[in-house]
Amino acid sequence: MRRNILVVMLLCIACGMQAKVQKLASPNGKLKMEVNVGNDLSLRVMSGSEVLVDRLDLALQVGNERLGQKPKLKNAKRTTINTVVRNAVPMKNATTRNHANELTLRFADDYSLVLRAYDNGVAWRFVIDKKGTVDIVNEPLSMNFDKAFGLHLSPVSSFVTSCEEFYQHINTESYAKMDKMTYLPVLFESPQGVKMLFSEADLQDYPCMFLCSSGKNKVASVFPKAPEAWEPAGDRGETITREGNYIARTNGQRALPWRYFVVGSDADIAANEMGRCLAAPCEIDDTSWIKPGKVSWDWWNCWSVWDVDFETGINNETYKYFIDFASEYGVEYILLDEGWCKDVRNPFENIDVIDVQELVDYGRKKGVGVWLWMTWLAVEQHPEVIEHYAKMGVKGLKIDFMDHSDQWMVNFYERTTRECAKHHLMVDFHGAFKPAGLEYRYPNLLTYEGVRGLEQCGGCTPDNSIWLPFMRNAVGAMDFTPGSMASLQPEHYVVSRGATAGMGTRAYQMALYVVFESGLQMLADSPTRYIQADECTRFIASVPVTWDETRILSAKAGNHIVMARRSGSKWFVGAITGNEPQDFTIPLDFLTKNARMTAFRDGANAHRLAVDYRKEQRDVTPQQTLSIHLVKNGGWCAVFE
């Protein structure tokens, strides 16, 4: 009898332990999450039989409470999400399917943990239900891997960063506590080759998360503290002189940002729309005034035009030349970058040879809109500048040098974008952190920098840029500013301001317009160079910045990508590589009918003379395949119509 009682007791204990493990699977059943509710909260993430994250510890320090410590589960609710979202500014597809299984775990102490499992990823967030305003002291997160995983990151020594670092490629075993932290996104790779892109979404009234090493095969979260006092730092920024002992002072009844992994192949990472699925709804009722497009940009080419009868530089005559060029080639906008106002701290006073209203009026007659650059500090200290230039007819603002991602600065992004939307101004943030959801709530935010782009000149190498479709661009639009017509192989590169060049072949620079995503896509080179390269420029100008459909035809992170995109009835294909030549066979089964192909490929000598290219035109059918060759740092691009 005593033996039977003991067996029953052991079975009860076992059942009780089992009840503390909550499981969630993706709709196709391949991705699985296990939530362990014991002395603390932890997750386990698996793909099939492979363990991706052996243990992921979660907690939330709210004031003196540590939520997630000895958690008491009150109830669990399961639901399925299966909706289709229409995108106001479609970076990849006109519509996005949001299909996931969701689990909400409600705990004592007034908080919940919400988890989602998608076929291509997993996500989770805390939701708190506290009274009044609370101080979130920390959101400790620790990832523990049971073996060495590949790790691709962007090392920084400070929270003050423009997020433009070279990628570093190591593994979790060699990533040590004394090494630098990294901003998001971060790309992991399992021993079996499964890729995992980690980032965050629906970031509101909260700082950005960074990651650091917490030991062998362990990484942990770290956050900038909330600033409480500042002092001026030059003419375009401020230095934080005092921080609070919390990361966010915020409403006690709210959801915190999503943390997510995109999981799958290299192509899955590049094609993902996880940030879109996790974003809050659009808050602009009428988005018809938001017009994504391309921009003839001045700063990179140093206002250098020639074969003209006026002295070029930052003056109205030069910008009218930019407008004339844009109008001729169907480029929607020009940008006045730094130099048009007398003092960056006073965005109302032009230099004597610039008349913004005259340029706006001239551009309107030519069908070309005008954007203005200014510092975040000028916008913050003169918020009325938004209405001032909107009434003048300016189409958008490029706002620069934030270089912070604490709670205060995250809120600056939001209130500035919201105020710009109120006055029908579009926004491009430079010196910026990565996209994390604001662009979906306010789609007038067309793009962010936060990328090591072409403005870095000799610091923008194709072997680093080839990672962008799998990391930075995989979480949202990026203002890379492509388009150098003065193309050089890296071993021949020399920087000369005023005669700036870009690395990669001519076909590579052209293909970037298909491969890289941005609702505001710059033409970085001189209008004169573009006019001289007329057939290349007409192709670039014809490439849309928004898309109805995107397909990844071939992809390997750090090696190459081949991408097909549809706009209306036209298909565009772009292919780029790093410092190794590539050969591909591309199926044309994305076509629904016979088409005329116009393609640009690397020339026979492009491996030495990067400007060498060839144009090809011929008829093709959906049943055909194409064989293409890319030289090192090369490209291939085509339109099918």
Side-chain angles (χ1 to χ4, degrees):
M1 183 67 178
R2 291 176 62 186
R3 182 179 177 183
N4 291 341
I5 293 173
L6 179 61
V7 170
V8 170
M9 289 176 64
L10 289 172
L11 286 172
C12 289
I13 292 170
C15 290
M17 291 176 65
Q18 184 64 29
K20 292 182 179 179
V21 178
Q22 299 284 336
K23 296 184 178 181
L24 182 66
S26 59
N28 66 7
K30 184 177 180 180
L31 284 178
K32 301 180 181 68
M33 302 173 75
E34 292 181 355
V35 188
N36 295 283
V37 184
N39 288 326
D40 51 23
L41 278 175
S42 67
L43 306 180
R44 200 168 191 239
V45 182
M46 292 159 287
S47 175
S49 60
E50 184 181 7
V51 176
L52 297 179
V53 184
D54 186 50
R55 182 182 174 94
L56 199 156
D57 293 300
L58 303 174
L60 187 66
Q61 186 75 33
V62 182
N64 294 323
E65 291 185 279
R66 187 175 176 88
L67 308 182
Q69 189 173 44
K70 296 182 179 179
K72 297 177 181 178
L73 182 62
K74 296 178 70 174
N75 58 61
K77 179 183 177 182
R78 296 176 182 273
T79 188
T80 296
I81 299 166
N82 194 358
T83 61
V84 175
V85 182
R86 181 162 294 278
N87 299 310
V89 179
M91 290 289 98
K92 285 186 171 72
N93 299 289
T95 59
T96 300
R97 187 185 184 196
N98 187 8
H99 187 204
N101 290 328
E102 185 175 272
L103 171 63
T104 301
L105 303 178
R106 185 166 168 258
F107 297 94
D109 298 326
D110 303 318
Y111 73 100
S112 302
L113 181 66
V114 184
L115 305 103
R116 289 186 187 175
Y118 292 85
D119 288 343
N120 69 330
V122 296
W124 64 92
R125 75 190 313 179
F126 279 106
V127 178
I128 55 176
D129 189 16
K130 304 290 184 180
K131 293 181 180 179
T133 299
V134 298
D135 284 353
I136 298 180
V137 178
N138 196 12
E139 186 188 341
L141 177 150
S142 178
M143 300 180 200
N144 300 278
F145 301 91
D146 61 354
K147 55 182 73 72
F149 274 53
L151 179 57
H152 311 279
L153 47 74
S154 309
V156 288
S157 55
S158 167
F159 290 119
V160 180
T161 174
S162 60
C163 302
E164 299 177 46
E165 304 302 320
F166 276 115
Y167 290 127
Q168 184 175 342
H169 312 286
I170 53 175
N171 62 58
T172 55
E173 190 171 68
S174 61
Y175 190 32
K177 287 185 178 181
M178 70 283 295
D179 291 338
K180 294 178 180 180
M181 62 183 175
T182 178
Y183 50 81
L184 303 182
V186 170
L187 185 66
F188 297 89
E189 183 174 359
S190 80
Q192 280 69 43
V194 176
K195 298 294 196 305
M196 307 187 321
L197 182 74
F198 181 73
S199 198
E200 59 189 345
D202 197 19
L203 180 70
Q204 301 184 46
D205 195 27
Y206 207 80
C208 290
M209 178 187 285
F210 289 64
L211 293 180
C212 66
S213 171
S214 56
K216 182 179 178 180
N217 289 328
K218 296 180 180 179
V219 296
S221 62
V222 57
F223 295 87
K225 298 287 188 181
E228 292 186 337
W230 304 259
E231 65 181 22
D235 63 358
R236 63 198 62 201
E238 293 186 341
T239 299
I240 298 169
T241 56
R242 188 177 74 249
E243 296 178 330
N245 62 351
Y246 54 92
I247 63 173
R249 178 165 288 166
T250 189
N251 191 325
Q253 296 182 319
R254 59 162 297 182
L256 271 59
W258 288 103
R259 292 30 179 115
Y260 68 86
F261 282 108
V262 182
V263 180
S265 66
D266 303 79
D268 294 330
I269 300 296
N272 95 88
E273 294 184 276
M274 186 71 74
R276 180 70 189 96
C277 293
L278 298 172
C282 178
E283 298 186 27
I284 301 177
D285 293 331
D286 175 20
T287 61
S288 61
W289 58 272
I290 300 172
K291 303 294 185 184
K294 292 177 289 295
V295 185
S296 181
W297 183 39
D298 55 356
W299 184 88
W300 189 80
N301 58 72
C302 295
W303 304 267
S304 299
V305 298
W306 52 95
D307 295 332
V308 295
D309 297 323
F310 58 88
E311 184 173 351
T312 60
I314 305 175
N315 56 51
N316 267 33
E317 286 181 298
T318 300
Y319 282 118
K320 285 181 179 180
Y321 184 94
F322 274 76
I323 290 171
D324 290 342
F325 158 74
S327 179
E328 169 64 23
Y329 285 87
V331 175
E332 292 86 348
Y333 304 106
I334 70 158
L335 169 66
L336 276 64
D337 212 295
E338 182 172 1
W340 63 270
C341 53
K342 287 184 177 180
D343 187 329
V344 298
R345 291 165 291 195
N346 178 11
F348 297 99
E349 189 175 2
N350 309 333
I351 61 174
D352 294 340
V353 290
I354 287 290
D355 185 329
V356 174
Q357 185 66 73
E358 182 182 338
L359 291 174
V360 168
D361 293 341
Y362 185 80
R364 185 183 296 115
K365 295 175 183 177
K366 295 276 190 171
V368 178
V370 172
W371 283 61
L372 295 178
W373 172 95
M374 57 187 66
T375 68
W376 75 268
L377 189 59
V379 177
E380 173 64 16
Q381 294 179 342
H382 304 283
E384 67 275 15
V385 77
I386 293 172
E387 182 177 9
H388 174 78
Y389 283 111
K391 286 183 175 179
M392 190 178 290
V394 168
K395 297 299 183 182
L397 301 180
K398 175 182 173 181
I399 301 171
D400 206 349
F401 288 104
M402 286 74 68
D403 296 342
H404 284 261
S405 53
D406 50 62
Q407 181 192 22
W408 188 94
M409 189 57 80
V410 169
N411 290 342
F412 166 81
Y413 280 57
E414 177 167 343
R415 66 174 176 270
T416 301
T417 305
R418 183 173 57 241
E419 186 66 15
C420 284
K422 178 181 173 182
H423 297 285
H424 287 196
L425 277 181
M426 293 171 283
V427 181
D428 172 8
F429 280 125
H430 267 233
F433 54 76
K434 84 284 174 194
L438 181 62
E439 65 278 10
Y440 300 113
R441 295 168 56 213
Y442 295 97
N444 60 310
L445 172 49
L446 295 182
T447 194
Y448 303 67
E449 191 187 28
V451 61
R452 194 169 192 85
L454 199 66
E455 76 168 43
Q456 293 285 344
C457 298
C460 179
T461 60
D463 63 336
N464 189 75
S465 300
I466 193 61
W467 289 91
L468 295 175
F470 309 97
M471 295 184 67
R472 171 60 184 80
N473 221 177
V475 301
M478 65 177 191
D479 195 5
F480 180 89
T481 65
S484 171
M485 295 293 97
S487 305
L488 294 171
Q489 288 289 357
E491 62 269 25
H492 301 142
Y493 192 85
V494 177
V495 177
S496 175
R497 267 318 254 159
T500 318
M503 292 190 201
T505 66
R506 171 70 65 83
Y508 168 90
Q509 288 288 333
M510 296 172 66
L512 295 181
Y513 287 90
V514 180
V515 174
F516 288 172
E517 297 172 10
S518 179
L520 191 73
Q521 194 71 279
M522 303 283 175
L523 275 69
D525 215 329
S526 163
T528 306
R529 277 186 178 156
Y530 285 125
I531 292 168
Q532 292 172 344
D534 179 76
E535 64 181 7
C536 300
T537 304
R538 294 201 180 276
F539 175 84
I540 290 171
S542 75
V543 179
V545 300
T546 57
W547 303 97
D548 295 315
E549 184 180 353
T550 294
R551 300 188 192 182
I552 309 301
L553 305 183
S554 181
K556 184 178 179 182
N559 182 268
H560 75 273
I561 189 165
V562 186
M563 187 179 294
R565 299 188 189 266
R566 180 178 63 83
S567 176
S569 60
K570 292 183 182 181
W571 280 92
F572 291 79
V573 175
I576 59 171
T577 185
N579 56 15
E580 295 181 3
Q582 304 284 343
D583 289 283
F584 305 104
T585 299
I586 300 175
L588 298 182
D589 54 4
F590 54 85
L591 299 173
T592 58
K593 60 178 73 173
N594 296 353
R596 181 70 171 172
M597 180 188 76
T598 301
F600 294 82
R601 61 176 174 83
D602 293 327
N605 295 292
H607 62 290
R608 293 188 302 108
L609 305 172
V611 293
D612 187 21
Y613 76 94
R614 286 294 179 268
K615 179 182 177 182
E616 177 187 6
Q617 290 182 302
R618 61 187 171 100
D619 295 326
V620 295
T621 71
Q623 293 76 35
Q624 285 181 267
T625 60
L626 288 178
S627 296
I628 62 173
H629 173 72
L630 280 63
V631 304
K632 63 177 183 177
N633 310 306
W636 187 92
C637 54
V639 58
F640 300 82
E641 51 189 330

